[in-house]
Amino acid sequence: MESVNLDLLSKHIDISDNARLLLEHCEKKTICTLTVRVSEDRMLAAEMYLVYHNTARGPAKGGIRLSPSVTLDETTDLAERMTWKTALVKVPFGGGKSGIAIDPGTMTLFERINLIHEYVHIMKWELASGAYVPAPDLGSGPKDMAIIYGETHQLESVTGKPPRVGGLPGRLEATGRGVAHVARLAVNKVLGKSVEDATFAVQGFGNVGSWTARFLSDWGAKVVAVSDVTSGVYNGQGLDLEKLRTFAGRHGELRDALGEKMTNEELLALDVDCIIPAAVENVLTGETAQSVRARLVVEGANGPTTAAGDAVLADKGVKVIPDILANAGGVIASYIEWRKAKSGSITGKEEVFESIEDLLGATFEEVVGVAAAKKTTHRTAAQIVAAGEVLQAMQDRGWV
Ligand code: NAD
């Protein structure tokens, strides 16, 4: 997984040596061990990582990843992506992330609640001071955020809470809503098609993937394939997303869902207008990108395309809408939730979706404009805009 290539960026914008030094180094990297007594005679231990990449624009914002394979390096990369993502959509946050190296699928609810309590215990200062504002990421969800809120007693200490527990209507769907909207704009602008005439394949059927597919389908698009870690499901006439979401909700996976089965690699190679990797990082590599037949990739996941994958896609003329733009709907909703917590205002779901679409629409246009003006990819254009914001903020604060 590669985040920003500062050498490439400095061909387009002026990055002083001091600014570069700051951007190349994270402000903070912490490793802790969460130890939890889960019964009279059994303890559980998990390594926990907390990274702040850059907080020139505001408190460190970023989700909590629960995954057995999460590492300090991965958490660092994700924190850096948050710096660029929050800057690109101009919400007043910096970039952070935390990761807990544990498999949530193997834990009982009791163990999980205890683990999150321990997380809050270790992170007490970060959460209470507002220096770090977490949200759900891979493997975590609204319930975990509700527990964090319950332990900190501060509504603004965490976003992605359930609506009845101080959360925001629409936050659950927000990232998928944004990915679907950006995909809709991109098929229109890049492929010259309306969403109703376009075909999509979505990898990942968790929070981001399932809502992305659902919204696209609601808007009349043909979503022909979706997948999770167990299997892909295909129907050339378009899948029934409502049925699949109900099935996944009941069974926890897509393995036995009705429809033609396919692997995750086959899904990415489908002859559709647009593929949306919305599961994990590094799935479009120098090798797998060779098989891509879609003309458009919209990155729902963080870092699904490697640098080698990016080069192959560019050679083939496949346009890529980068993660920091495509999946920024989640952090936009988090910002609205955080602001609401501070002001006590009430915000409805449609208003949240409207704000996401307005902000992503304006950002999409800005990125497309910079890409055309600088003759770069959309990824580089998005990074140029984001880096410009962060550099200016570092200057405003007298850091450089
Ligand atoms: P999730 O845990 O809800 O769902 C992950 C999905 O990916 C599941 O369907 C799982 O089965 C599938 N999956 C796991 N490993 C896979 C593999 N090797 N191949 C194919 N599928 C696999 O996670 P999520 O919240 O939907 O996050 C997905 C991605 O989106 C991550 O990269 C995350 O960082 C990013 N993201 C999430 C949010 C958010 O608000 N949740 C916001 C921005 C970005």
Side-chain angles (χ1 to χ4, degrees), residues 38-100:
V38 286
S39 69
E40 189 63 22
D41 53 2
R42 201 166 76 81
M43 288 196 78
L44 180 153
E47 198 133 287
M48 194 274 278
Y49 314 104
L50 173 71
V51 179
Y52 297 173
H53 172 252
N54 184 290
T55 60
R57 300 185 60 265
K61 185 86 189 81
I64 306 173
R65 179 164 289 199
L66 259 67
S67 156
S69 59
V70 73
T71 58
L72 181 61
D73 280 351
E74 185 177 304
T75 311
T76 302
D77 178 276
L78 291 163
E80 186 182 335
R81 272 173 216 276
M82 288 306 293
T83 300
W84 308 125
K85 193 183 301 181
T86 51
L88 178 65
V89 294
K90 302 175 186 65
V91 291
F93 290 125
K97 200 84 185 181
S98 47
I100 307 178

Coordinates of all heavy atoms in Angstrom, one line a residue, residues 38-100:
V38 N -11.1 -12.0 30.7 CA -12.4 -12.3 30.1 C -13.2 -13.3 30.9 O -14.4 -13.5 30.7 CB -12.3 -12.7 28.6 CG1 -12.0 -11.5 27.7 CG2 -11.3 -13.8 28.4
S39 N -12.6 -14.0 31.8 CA -13.3 -14.9 32.7 C -12.4 -15.0 34.0 O -11.3 -14.5 34.0 CB -13.6 -16.2 32.1 OG -12.5 -17.0 31.9
E40 N -12.9 -15.8 34.9 CA -12.1 -16.0 36.2 C -10.7 -16.4 35.9 O -9.8 -16.0 36.5 CB -12.9 -17.0 37.0 CG -12.4 -17.2 38.4 CD -12.6 -15.9 39.3 OE1 -13.4 -15.1 38.9 OE2 -11.8 -15.8 40.2
D41 N -10.5 -17.3 34.9 CA -9.2 -17.9 34.7 C -8.6 -17.7 33.3 O -7.7 -18.3 32.9 CB -9.3 -19.5 35.0 CG -10.4 -20.1 34.1 OD1 -11.0 -19.3 33.3 OD2 -10.6 -21.3 34.2
R42 N -9.2 -16.7 32.6 CA -8.6 -16.5 31.2 C -8.4 -15.0 30.9 O -9.3 -14.2 31.2 CB -9.5 -17.1 30.2 CG -8.8 -17.4 28.9 CD -9.6 -18.3 28.0 NE -10.7 -17.6 27.3 CZ -10.5 -16.8 26.2 NH1 -9.3 -16.7 25.7 NH2 -11.5 -16.2 25.7
M43 N -7.2 -14.7 30.4 CA -7.0 -13.3 29.9 C -6.8 -13.3 28.4 O -6.4 -14.3 27.8 CB -5.7 -12.8 30.6 CG -6.0 -12.5 32.1 SD -4.7 -11.5 32.8 CE -5.2 -9.9 32.2
L44 N -7.0 -12.1 27.9 CA -6.8 -12.0 26.4 C -5.8 -10.8 26.2 O -5.9 -9.8 27.0 CB -8.2 -11.7 25.9 CG -8.6 -11.4 24.5 CD1 -10.0 -11.9 24.4 CD2 -8.4 -10.0 24.1
A45 N -4.9 -10.9 25.3 CA -4.0 -9.8 25.0 C -4.0 -9.4 23.5 O -4.0 -10.3 22.7 CB -2.6 -10.1 25.5
A46 N -4.0 -8.1 23.2 CA -4.0 -7.7 21.8 C -3.1 -6.5 21.7 O -3.2 -5.6 22.5 CB -5.4 -7.4 21.3
E47 N -2.2 -6.5 20.7 CA -1.4 -5.3 20.5 C -2.3 -4.2 19.9 O -3.2 -4.4 19.1 CB -0.3 -5.6 19.5 CG 0.8 -4.7 19.5 CD 2.2 -5.4 19.6 OE1 2.6 -5.9 20.6 OE2 2.9 -5.3 18.6
M48 N -2.0 -2.9 20.3 CA -2.8 -1.8 19.8 C -1.9 -0.7 19.3 O -0.9 -0.4 20.0 CB -3.7 -1.3 21.0 CG -4.8 -0.4 20.6 SD -4.3 1.3 20.5 CE -4.4 1.9 22.1
Y49 N -2.2 -0.1 18.2 CA -1.4 0.9 17.6 C -2.2 2.2 17.5 O -3.4 2.2 17.1 CB -1.0 0.5 16.2 CG -0.4 -0.9 16.1 CD1 -1.2 -1.9 15.6 CD2 0.8 -1.2 16.7 CE1 -0.7 -3.2 15.5 CE2 1.3 -2.5 16.6 CZ 0.5 -3.5 16.1 OH 1.0 -4.8 16.1
L50 N -1.6 3.3 17.8 CA -2.2 4.6 17.7 C -1.3 5.5 16.9 O -0.1 5.6 17.3 CB -2.6 5.2 19.0 CG -3.1 6.7 18.9 CD1 -4.5 6.7 18.4 CD2 -3.0 7.4 20.3
V51 N -1.7 6.1 15.8 CA -0.8 6.9 15.0 C -1.5 8.2 14.7 O -2.7 8.3 14.3 CB -0.4 6.2 13.7 CG1 0.5 7.1 12.8 CG2 0.3 4.9 13.9
Y52 N -0.8 9.3 14.9 CA -1.2 10.6 14.4 C -0.2 11.0 13.3 O 1.0 11.0 13.6 CB -1.1 11.8 15.5 CG -2.0 11.6 16.7 CD1 -1.8 12.6 17.7 CD2 -2.9 10.7 16.8 CE1 -2.5 12.5 18.9 CE2 -3.7 10.6 18.0 CZ -3.5 11.5 19.0 OH -4.2 11.4 20.2
H53 N -0.7 11.2 12.1 CA 0.2 11.6 11.1 C 0.5 13.1 11.1 O 1.6 13.5 11.3 CB -0.3 11.1 9.7 CG 0.5 11.6 8.6 ND1 0.1 12.6 7.7 CD2 1.8 11.4 8.2 CE1 1.1 12.9 6.9 NE2 2.1 12.2 7.1
N54 N -0.6 13.9 10.9 CA -0.4 15.3 10.9 C -1.7 16.0 11.4 O -2.8 15.6 10.9 CB -0.2 15.8 9.4 CG 0.1 17.3 9.3 OD1 -0.7 18.1 9.6 ND2 1.4 17.6 9.0
T55 N -1.6 16.8 12.4 CA -2.8 17.5 13.0 C -2.8 19.0 12.8 O -3.4 19.7 13.5 CB -2.8 17.2 14.5 OG1 -1.7 17.7 15.1 CG2 -3.0 15.7 14.8
A56 N -2.1 19.4 11.7 CA -2.1 20.9 11.4 C -3.5 21.4 11.2 O -3.8 22.6 11.6 CB -1.2 21.2 10.2
R57 N -4.4 20.6 10.7 CA -5.7 21.1 10.3 C -6.8 20.8 11.4 O -7.9 21.2 11.3 CB -6.2 20.6 9.0 CG -5.2 21.0 7.8 CD -5.7 20.5 6.5 NE -7.0 21.1 6.2 CZ -8.2 20.5 6.4 NH1 -8.2 19.3 6.9 NH2 -9.3 21.1 6.1
G58 N -6.4 20.1 12.5 CA -7.4 19.8 13.5 C -7.0 18.5 14.2 O -6.0 17.9 13.9
P59 N -7.9 18.0 15.1 CA -7.6 16.8 15.9 C -7.5 15.6 15.0 O -8.0 15.6 13.9 CB -8.9 16.6 16.7 CG -9.8 17.8 16.5 CD -9.2 18.7 15.4
A60 N -6.7 14.6 15.4 CA -6.5 13.4 14.6 C -7.8 12.7 14.5 O -8.4 12.3 15.5 CB -5.4 12.6 15.3
K61 N -8.2 12.5 13.2 CA -9.5 11.8 13.0 C -9.1 10.5 12.2 O -8.4 10.5 11.3 CB -10.3 12.7 12.1 CG -11.7 12.1 11.8 CD -12.6 12.5 13.0 CE -14.0 11.8 12.9 NZ -14.0 10.4 13.5
G62 N -9.8 9.4 12.6 CA -9.6 8.2 11.9 C -10.1 7.0 12.6 O -10.2 7.0 13.9
G63 N -10.5 6.0 11.9 CA -11.2 4.8 12.5 C -10.4 3.9 13.3 O -9.1 4.0 13.4
I64 N -11.1 3.0 14.0 CA -10.4 1.9 14.7 C -10.5 0.7 13.9 O -11.6 0.2 13.6 CB -11.1 1.7 16.1 CG1 -11.2 3.0 16.9 CG2 -10.4 0.7 16.9 CD1 -12.0 2.9 18.1
R65 N -9.4 0.1 13.5 CA -9.4 -1.1 12.7 C -9.2 -2.3 13.7 O -8.2 -2.3 14.5 CB -8.3 -1.1 11.7 CG -8.2 -2.4 10.9 CD -7.4 -2.2 9.6 NE -8.2 -1.4 8.6 CZ -7.9 -1.3 7.3 NH1 -6.9 -2.1 6.8 NH2 -8.6 -0.6 6.5
L66 N -10.1 -3.3 13.6 CA -9.9 -4.5 14.4 C -9.7 -5.6 13.4 O -10.6 -6.0 12.6 CB -11.2 -4.9 15.1 CG -11.3 -4.5 16.6 CD1 -11.3 -3.0 16.8 CD2 -12.6 -5.1 17.2
S67 N -8.4 -6.1 13.3 CA -8.1 -7.1 12.4 C -6.9 -7.9 12.9 O -5.9 -7.3 13.4 CB -7.8 -6.5 11.0 OG -6.9 -7.3 10.2
P68 N -6.8 -9.2 12.7 CA -5.7 -10.0 13.2 C -4.4 -9.6 12.5 O -3.3 -9.8 13.0 CB -6.1 -11.4 12.9 CG -7.2 -11.4 11.9 CD -7.8 -10.1 12.1
S69 N -4.5 -9.0 11.3 CA -3.3 -8.7 10.5 C -2.9 -7.3 10.6 O -1.9 -6.9 10.0 CB -3.5 -9.1 9.1 OG -4.6 -8.4 8.5
V70 N -3.6 -6.5 11.4 CA -3.2 -5.0 11.4 C -1.8 -4.9 12.0 O -1.5 -5.6 13.0 CB -4.3 -4.2 12.1 CG1 -4.3 -4.4 13.6 CG2 -4.1 -2.7 11.8
T71 N -1.0 -4.0 11.5 CA 0.3 -3.7 12.0 C 0.5 -2.2 12.2 O -0.3 -1.4 11.8 CB 1.4 -4.1 10.9 OG1 1.1 -3.4 9.7 CG2 1.3 -5.6 10.6
L72 N 1.7 -1.9 12.8 CA 2.0 -0.4 13.0 C 2.1 0.2 11.6 O 1.6 1.4 11.4 CB 3.2 -0.3 13.8 CG 3.7 1.2 14.1 CD1 2.6 1.9 14.9 CD2 5.0 1.2 14.8
D73 N 2.7 -0.5 10.7 CA 2.9 0.1 9.3 C 1.6 0.4 8.6 O 1.4 1.5 8.0 CB 3.7 -0.8 8.4 CG 5.2 -0.7 8.7 OD1 5.6 0.2 9.5 OD2 6.0 -1.6 8.2
E74 N 0.7 -0.6 8.8 CA -0.6 -0.4 8.1 C -1.4 0.8 8.8 O -2.0 1.6 8.1 CB -1.4 -1.7 8.3 CG -2.7 -1.7 7.5 CD -3.5 -3.0 7.6 OE1 -2.9 -4.1 7.3 OE2 -4.6 -3.0 8.1
T75 N -1.3 0.9 10.1 CA -2.0 1.9 10.8 C -1.4 3.3 10.4 O -2.1 4.3 10.3 CB -1.9 1.7 12.4 OG1 -2.2 0.3 12.6 CG2 -2.8 2.6 13.2
T76 N -0.1 3.3 10.2 CA 0.6 4.5 9.8 C 0.1 5.0 8.5 O -0.2 6.2 8.2 CB 2.1 4.3 9.8 OG1 2.5 3.9 11.1 CG2 2.9 5.5 9.4
D77 N 0.1 4.0 7.5 CA -0.4 4.4 6.2 C -1.8 4.9 6.2 O -2.1 5.9 5.6 CB -0.3 3.1 5.3 CG -0.8 3.3 3.9 OD1 -2.1 3.3 3.7 OD2 0.0 3.6 3.0
L78 N -2.7 4.3 7.0 CA -4.1 4.7 7.1 C -4.2 6.1 7.7 O -5.1 6.9 7.3 CB -4.9 3.6 7.8 CG -5.1 2.3 7.1 CD1 -5.5 1.2 8.1 CD2 -6.0 2.4 5.9
A79 N -3.4 6.3 8.7 CA -3.4 7.7 9.4 C -3.0 8.7 8.4 O -3.6 9.8 8.3 CB -2.5 7.7 10.6
E80 N -2.0 8.4 7.6 CA -1.6 9.4 6.6 C -2.7 9.7 5.6 O -3.0 10.8 5.2 CB -0.3 8.9 5.9 CG 0.2 10.0 4.9 CD 1.5 9.6 4.2 OE1 2.2 8.7 4.6 OE2 1.7 10.2 3.1
R81 N -3.4 8.6 5.1 CA -4.5 8.8 4.2 C -5.5 9.7 4.8 O -6.2 10.5 4.1 CB -5.1 7.4 3.9 CG -4.5 6.7 2.7 CD -5.0 5.3 2.5 NE -3.9 4.5 2.1 CZ -3.5 4.4 0.8 NH1 -4.1 5.0 -0.1 NH2 -2.4 3.7 0.5
M82 N -5.7 9.6 6.1 CA -6.7 10.5 6.8 C -6.3 12.0 6.7 O -7.1 12.9 6.6 CB -7.0 10.1 8.2 CG -7.8 8.8 8.4 SD -9.4 8.8 7.5 CE -10.3 10.0 8.4
T83 N -5.0 12.2 6.8 CA -4.5 13.6 6.7 C -5.0 14.2 5.3 O -5.5 15.3 5.2 CB -3.0 13.7 6.7 OG1 -2.6 13.1 8.0 CG2 -2.5 15.1 6.5
W84 N -4.8 13.3 4.3 CA -5.1 13.8 2.9 C -6.6 13.9 2.7 O -7.1 14.8 2.0 CB -4.4 13.0 1.8 CG -2.9 12.8 2.1 CD1 -2.3 11.6 2.2 CD2 -1.9 13.8 2.3 NE1 -0.9 11.8 2.5 CE2 -0.7 13.1 2.5 CE3 -2.0 15.2 2.3 CZ2 0.5 13.8 2.7 CZ3 -0.8 15.9 2.5 CH2 0.4 15.2 2.7
K85 N -7.3 12.9 3.2 CA -8.7 12.8 3.0 C -9.5 14.0 3.6 O -10.3 14.7 3.0 CB -9.3 11.5 3.5 CG -10.7 11.1 3.1 CD -11.1 9.8 3.7 CE -10.2 8.7 3.4 NZ -10.7 7.4 4.0
T86 N -9.1 14.3 4.9 CA -9.8 15.4 5.6 C -9.4 16.7 4.9 O -10.3 17.6 4.9 CB -9.4 15.4 7.1 OG1 -8.0 15.4 7.2 CG2 -10.0 14.2 7.8
A87 N -8.2 16.8 4.4 CA -7.8 18.1 3.8 C -8.5 18.2 2.5 O -8.9 19.3 2.1 CB -6.3 18.1 3.6
L88 N -8.6 17.1 1.7 CA -9.2 17.2 0.4 C -10.6 17.7 0.5 O -11.1 18.5 -0.3 CB -9.2 15.8 -0.3 CG -9.8 15.7 -1.7 CD1 -9.0 16.6 -2.7 CD2 -9.9 14.3 -2.2
V89 N -11.4 17.2 1.5 CA -12.8 17.6 1.5 C -13.0 18.8 2.5 O -14.1 19.2 2.8 CB -13.8 16.4 1.9 CG1 -13.8 15.4 0.8 CG2 -13.4 15.8 3.2
K90 N -11.8 19.3 3.0 CA -11.8 20.5 3.8 C -12.6 20.4 5.1 O -13.3 21.4 5.5 CB -12.1 21.7 3.0 CG -11.1 21.8 1.8 CD -11.5 23.0 0.8 CE -10.7 23.0 -0.4 NZ -10.7 21.9 -1.3
V91 N -12.6 19.3 5.8 CA -13.2 19.2 7.1 C -12.1 19.5 8.1 O -10.9 19.0 7.9 CB -14.0 17.9 7.4 CG1 -15.3 17.9 6.6 CG2 -13.1 16.7 7.2
P92 N -12.3 20.1 9.3 CA -11.2 20.6 10.1 C -10.7 19.5 11.0 O -10.8 19.6 12.3 CB -11.9 21.7 10.9 CG -13.3 21.3 11.0 CD -13.7 20.6 9.8
F93 N -10.1 18.5 10.4 CA -9.5 17.4 11.2 C -8.1 17.1 10.6 O -7.8 17.4 9.4 CB -10.3 16.1 11.0 CG -11.6 16.1 11.8 CD1 -12.8 15.8 11.1 CD2 -11.7 16.3 13.1 CE1 -14.0 15.8 11.7 CE2 -12.9 16.3 13.8 CZ -14.1 16.0 13.1
G94 N -7.3 16.5 11.4 CA -6.0 15.9 10.9 C -6.1 14.4 10.7 O -7.2 13.9 10.8
G95 N -5.0 13.8 10.5 CA -5.0 12.4 10.2 C -4.5 11.5 11.3 O -3.5 11.7 11.8
G96 N -5.4 10.5 11.7 CA -5.0 9.6 12.7 C -5.6 8.2 12.4 O -6.4 8.1 11.5
K97 N -5.3 7.2 13.2 CA -5.9 5.9 13.1 C -5.5 5.1 14.3 O -4.4 5.3 14.9 CB -5.3 5.2 11.8 CG -6.1 4.1 11.3 CD -7.2 4.6 10.4 CE -8.1 3.5 9.9 NZ -9.2 4.0 9.0
S98 N -6.3 4.1 14.7 CA -5.9 3.1 15.6 C -6.2 1.8 15.1 O -7.1 1.6 14.3 CB -6.3 3.4 17.0 OG -7.7 3.7 17.1
G99 N -5.4 0.8 15.5 CA -5.5 -0.6 15.0 C -5.4 -1.5 16.2 O -4.5 -1.3 17.1
I100 N -6.3 -2.5 16.3 CA -6.1 -3.5 17.4 C -6.0 -4.9 16.7 O -6.8 -5.3 15.9 CB -7.4 -3.5 18.3 CG1 -7.7 -2.1 18.8 CG2 -7.2 -4.5 19.4 CD1 -8.9 -2.0 19.7

